[in-house]
Amino acid sequence: MQGRVSLSVGCITLFLMGTDLFVVSPLLPFISKAYHVNPAMAGWMVTVFAVTYAFSAPFFGWLSDKKGRRAFITFGLLLFTISNALTAFAPSFLWLIISRILAGLSVASITPLIYAVIGDIAPPDRRGTWLSIVVSGHLTALWAGAPFGTLLEHFLGWRSVFVVMAIIGAILAVVNFKTWKSIPIGDTTTKRLEGNILRILGSVSVTTLWAISMYALYVYLGAALYSENRFSSSEIALAVTFYGVGAVLGSLSSGQLTDKFGEREISKTTLIFLTLSLICLGVFFSSADWIYFFLFIWALVGYAGFTSYQARLAVEYPRERGIVMAWNNTALYIGITIGSMIGGYVISIWGYSLLPYVCSIAAIASFVLSTKKVEKPKNNRLFQ
């Protein structure tokens, strides 16, 4: 029962974090109008959030390995409540940007630590399944949380979205504080980041390349579908739904496969299939009859790979789990940023049709890097 409660709390918490991340983009037109700024300027809300998250997540991961995870998760949710309330009622665009910086800081102290704490408490033979469940909570926000927020904006205005998230954040702060109370502090305070930091960065760079293979195309998916297939807005929404459902199912299914066949084997196998699915997506991208299917398959194998690699990192770095999960999330955001830049460059020169093939190259590179085994350090100690 305690395991079910922990998984439910972790899943719901990450769903809220994912909603906060994914809901901003569809709200940008309304926000830019409210503060009399152009959409490009309003886009800084997303940029400052991502940059703050990327730089602060490793710091919180390191502290949680030394001091325990419960306090930092609770702190993050309280800050999340404050930041979203400030976003809802920001008196100026400057304060709006400040609120998103605080939001990035709060999510950085929540998301990777939820992954880490689930890795801490999960039974060794069920770690993959447990991690896949909480990852699916984050991914569900892609096709459920963001559309719900957009619907809420239609009836009550965009500010209501952030008010609701602030209220839920406050409730979850109490729930998380009580949920992780049973975890002995001694399990985390004795942990130290041992060994060469470069080996950890090498491991999480697999995630950076994976993110490039997913987001160099996904960022421009709507525009690509309109350009290549003349999709309407409803057809684009349906395509994104197929992608989102595939992502959730991929995450959930990979957990059981990982527990059965091993983290390393599944993470490598899914990267091979990710490469193949991207090539097929490129071949059939202009075919309206097949595009939904291959978008589903792409997300299915892609996020199965992400979840299995999270489980692999949890196993290969048991003593540094908090900071490794944090660095892995930073690597994810770096990959998203680089992927969007690469995608923009590709479409400006060659057009949208080449994007799936460029993504497949990143997937191959991610697979090659993932085949390298983690070598244990000798006697180096950092951040002690």
Side-chain angles (χ1 to χ4, degrees), residues 56-211:
S56 56
F59 174 71
F60 284 114
W62 169 62
L63 279 180
S64 75
D65 280 338
K66 295 170 69 69
K67 305 296 182 182
R69 320 219 191 272
R70 178 192 182 204
F72 292 103
I73 293 174
T74 305
F75 160 78
L77 283 162
L78 292 175
L79 184 59
F80 179 87
T81 299
I82 295 171
S83 63
N84 275 276
L86 182 58
T87 300
F89 302 108
S92 66
F93 186 69
L94 175 61
W95 278 104
L96 190 69
I97 293 297
I98 293 174
S99 75
R100 300 320 294 166
I101 293 175
L102 294 176
L105 191 67
S106 69
V107 177
S109 66
I110 300 170
T111 301
L113 302 195
I114 291 291
Y115 290 141
V117 78
I118 293 298
D120 290 338
I121 66 175
D125 61 339
R126 297 280 291 167
R127 185 174 286 117
T129 299
W130 283 39
L131 283 171
S132 72
I133 292 173
V134 293
V135 170
S136 69
H138 191 270
L139 295 177
T140 300
L142 183 66
W143 63 272
F148 177 77
T150 306
L151 185 65
L152 191 63
E153 184 282 328
H154 178 74
F155 290 102
L156 299 175
W158 68 267
R159 297 180 191 275
S160 65
V161 179
F162 297 98
V163 171
V164 170
M165 288 197 294
I167 293 172
I168 298 175
I171 295 172
L172 286 178
V174 177
V175 172
N176 275 266
F177 184 77
K178 292 181 176 295
T179 300
W180 312 125
K181 184 178 180 180
S182 60
I183 299 176
I185 296 179
D187 286 348
T188 55
T189 54
T190 59
K191 295 178 181 178
R192 298 293 185 269
L193 178 58
E194 297 183 351
N196 190 347
I197 189 67
L198 292 179
R199 72 187 176 96
I200 295 177
L201 296 180
S203 294
V204 301
S205 62
V206 172
T207 298
T208 298
L209 292 168
W210 171 88

Side-chain angles (χ1 to χ4, degrees), residues 79 122 124 167 180 233 242 293 304 322-323 342 376:
L79 184 59
I167 293 172
W180 312 125
S233 57
F242 268 83
F293 172 75
I323 192 170
I342 292 175
K376 297 298 180 182

